[in-house]
Amino acid sequence: IDVASLETDNATIEVLAKAKPKNSNDLYGQIDDYITSKEKKVSKATLTVFKNVKEHLQAFEAYRKKAITFSSFDYSFYESFIDFLTFEYKQPRRKDKIIGLKINTIGKTIKQLRIFIKDRVRRKIIAPIDLTDFKIPEEETDAIYLTYEEIAQIYNTNLSLYPFLVEYRDLFVLACLTGLRFSDFSTLQPKDLRNNMLYKKQEKSDHWVVIPMRKEAKEIFTNQFKECLPQLTNPEFNRHIKTI
């Protein structure tokens, strides 16, 4: 018996076993594979939405006491899933018991579920699924914004008695004048400003944006944050802005 050959064959079998593609009927395995493929392409916030889709499906599976597979996705499933997320789903990691999700949150789940299924179909992992009736529920939200005059009033507020709030105020005004999310304006660097234009790769969408800098925005950026921006968290930032 050629022991060396056997060991080589066994090693090859083990490698092939690990490389074996996931069962196309394994819904959650496919979701994990999809999430892994997106890790370097989307933000952490978007990955969290993907993981929430899996969590919502697993909760629904436990609720209805019936396994969910790709063949489950028909209109009856869609209706029951929407009802479950609206009236029965218990939100985890909450101090107080909260039942049901907001319509727009449910809409995110349906939207990402559709994108995931279409991705698996496109890769010929599963057979085509008709998602025509998988409508994305949404509700109108109030668009609350500040006028330029209100932004100027905030910028000119006397904070001499609260000097530690100045950098938070200036950063908020900078955000208003550039339209950047917290995850983007809180990580700005001096090198991002070139030829009066702000170049920033957005964390959420992983896309570059080029923003013309207003005179006031450039002054804040170059004077207040010429070295670096303060290290802060979103809740901390929001708390200080409310005070201002």
Side-chain angles (χ1 to χ4, degrees):
I1 299 175
D2 189 344
V3 177
S5 296
L6 283 176
E7 290 178 347
T8 301
D9 289 343
N10 288 335
T12 301
I13 291 172
E14 185 176 347
V15 169
L16 290 174
K18 289 182 178 179
K20 184 179 179 180
K22 299 183 187 303
N23 185 340
S24 61
N25 291 321
D26 179 9
L27 174 63
Y28 300 117
Q30 290 295 333
I31 293 177
D32 289 338
D33 183 66
Y34 176 73
I35 292 174
T36 300
S37 71
K38 296 292 185 180
E39 285 179 347
K40 296 182 179 180
K41 300 177 182 178
V42 300
S43 68
K44 292 181 180 179
T46 303
L47 287 177
T48 298
V49 176
F50 296 158
K51 293 174 182 176
N52 287 342
V53 172
K54 179 182 177 181
E55 185 177 274
H56 295 163
L57 287 170
Q58 289 175 323
F60 183 47
E61 183 177 79
Y63 173 77
R64 73 174 196 163
K65 298 181 175 61
K66 183 179 180 181
I68 298 175
T69 66
F70 284 104
S71 61
S72 302
F73 297 126
D74 55 20
Y75 185 64
S76 294
F77 172 90
Y78 167 79
E79 279 195 318
S80 298
F81 189 39
I82 293 289
D83 286 344
F84 166 74
L85 293 178
T86 305
F87 304 111
E88 303 293 343
Y89 179 72
K90 298 177 182 178
Q91 295 189 30
R93 299 177 292 278
R94 295 276 190 171
K95 291 183 179 179
D96 299 323
K97 183 179 179 181
I98 300 178
I99 303 297
L101 297 171
K102 294 181 179 179
I103 292 178
N104 287 338
T105 302
I106 296 173
K108 283 184 181 180
T109 294
I110 299 300
K111 177 182 177 180
Q112 294 304 330
L113 178 60
R114 283 167 51 104
I115 293 174
F116 159 69
I117 293 174
K118 289 180 178 179
D119 177 87
R120 298 296 96 172
V121 170
R122 193 177 300 117
R123 296 178 187 279
K124 301 187 186 306
I125 295 173
I126 62 173
I129 297 176
D130 183 7
L131 300 174
T132 304
D133 293 323
F134 277 54
K135 306 297 182 183
I136 300 173
E138 58 183 354
E139 62 182 349
E140 292 186 7
T141 57
D142 294 328
I144 301 173
Y145 64 92
L146 296 173
T147 65
Y148 186 72
E149 289 73 23
E150 289 171 326
I151 296 172
Q153 186 178 356
I154 292 173
Y155 186 54
N156 292 317
T157 297
N158 184 355
L159 296 176
S160 58
L161 296 179
Y162 313 93
F164 72 97
L165 290 177
V166 171
E167 61 182 9
Y168 295 98
R169 186 267 313 278
D170 288 359
L171 190 54
F172 175 71
V173 172
L174 179 63
C176 290
L177 297 177
T178 58
L180 289 172
R181 303 181 183 89
F182 175 85
S183 59
D184 296 324
F185 72 71
S186 63
T187 57
L188 285 170
Q189 299 179 34
K191 65 180 182 180
D192 294 331
L193 179 62
R194 302 193 291 274
N195 299 322
N196 295 322
M197 306 287 278
L198 195 61
Y199 292 76
K200 185 62 180 176
K201 190 173 186 179
Q202 295 179 301
E203 181 182 323
K204 184 175 181 179
S205 62
D206 201 38
H207 292 154
W208 282 93
V209 292
V210 181
I211 304 170
M213 289 286 272
R214 300 180 68 121
K215 176 185 175 182
E216 299 85 351
K218 184 181 177 182
E219 287 178 354
I220 293 174
F221 189 76
T222 56
N223 295 333
Q224 178 74 330
F225 306 116
K226 57 185 176 183
E227 299 296 333
C228 63
L229 269 71
Q231 296 295 315
L232 67 162
T233 64
N234 204 339
E236 176 189 15
F237 178 76
N238 290 340
R239 185 172 66 253
H240 289 316
I241 291 305
K242 287 179 181 178
T243 301
I244 294 168

